[in-house]
Amino acid sequence: MSAALRIPPQIEPASAALLSDPLDFFFAEHFRQRKLCNLIEEMALAETLDWALTAEVLDFLRHDAVLHVRDEEEDLFPLMRERCPPEDEIERVLSALNAEHAGDRHLADIVIEGLEKALAAAQPPSALPGLREAMIDFARNERRHLALENSVVLPLARRRLSPDDLVRLSANLLRRRQEGAGEENA
Ligand SMILES: [Fe+2]
Ligand SMILES: [Fe+2]
């Protein structure tokens, strides 16, 4: 389908129904982030500015992506540190992922600032110096990060977290979204 015929949103909304199984919810969020990467790459190469898509991507980077990192750093990763025995060597993986979160945030901030300028100038990202490269770097780093979380962290979480852990995790993710909704409505 041509870009002109697509109707936003391009990225499915987060599925609150999946929160009853928080690990499925993480997989679903990673699927949405893969879609984000595809769209960002597409936008980086486009010759024209897609206003609706740019607004959607900005919204995702400012809100959904931030919530997701908090879900991992404040809830999932600490729980795994408690539950995984030393032979899992999970600390090495989690430390690397934490460092990548910081690097990806830095790159996301550059992309956000660039896309805001693209909107203000009514020009495609390719017309702004360095923005195309930053967008392609962001998508590449993010895909690698997602692959590690999907192949190592989430399968191990499935083995190590107890049913009670999953209930607690689910409640924390839900509370974070309710607090976020409360702040937006305030
Ligand atoms: Fe992550
Ligand atoms: Fe993740």
Side-chain angles (χ1 to χ4, degrees), residues 16 27 57 76 95 98 102 112 118 123 134 141 173:
F27 275 116
V57 164
L76 178 63
S95 298
N98 272 337
I112 288 172
Q123 289 195 314
N141 291 357
L173 304 191

Side-chain angles (χ1 to χ4, degrees), residues 79-184:
L79 204 45
M80 292 193 72
R81 286 189 173 98
E82 279 178 38
R83 296 291 179 253
C84 292
E87 59 266 28
D88 286 346
E89 297 186 357
I90 195 63
E91 186 50 47
R92 209 162 35 93
V93 177
L94 297 182
S95 298
L97 291 170
N98 272 337
E100 287 178 15
H101 284 161
D104 290 347
R105 191 64 239 166
H106 176 68
L107 214 38
D109 287 341
I110 292 172
V111 171
I112 288 172
E113 199 185 323
L115 291 179
E116 285 168 346
K117 283 185 186 159
L119 285 177
Q123 289 195 314
S126 56
L128 279 87
L131 180 55
R132 171 184 274 175
E133 293 74 13
M135 291 169 80
I136 289 172
D137 280 353
F138 175 86
R140 188 194 53 215
N141 291 357
E142 193 63 27
R143 279 200 192 96
R144 203 176 44 211
H145 184 91
L146 293 170
L148 181 59
E149 290 180 341
N150 280 353
S151 64
V152 175
V153 177
L154 293 178
L156 191 60
R158 184 68 77 197
R159 282 186 13 230
R160 299 298 189 206
L161 302 189
S162 69
D164 281 353
D165 289 336
L166 295 177
V167 169
R168 208 171 99 201
L169 182 56
S170 185
N172 288 351
L173 304 191
L174 187 59
R175 187 176 320 113
R176 179 163 298 115
R177 276 147 187 84
Q178 286 169 341
E179 283 168 3
E183 280 163 22
E184 276 170 23

Side-chain angles (χ1 to χ4, degrees), residues 16-81:
L18 286 175
L19 277 171
S20 57
D21 183 333
L23 299 180
D24 276 355
F25 182 76
F26 276 103
F27 275 116
E29 285 298 293
H30 289 168
F31 183 80
R32 297 173 71 231
Q33 289 168 21
R34 260 186 218 288
K35 175 78 181 178
L36 172 81
C37 292
N38 295 344
L39 292 171
I40 283 182
E41 265 180 358
E42 199 178 294
M43 286 163 63
L45 301 173
E47 299 297 327
T48 54
L49 176 68
D50 184 328
W51 293 82
L53 183 56
T54 303
E56 187 180 343
V57 164
L58 276 170
D59 191 58
F60 197 106
L61 290 173
R62 288 188 187 121
H63 301 290
D64 303 54
V66 174
L67 267 183
H68 180 74
V69 169
R70 289 190 60 197
D71 289 342
E72 291 180 344
E73 294 195 352
E74 296 177 27
D75 292 298
L76 178 63
F77 292 0
L79 204 45
M80 292 193 72
R81 286 189 173 98

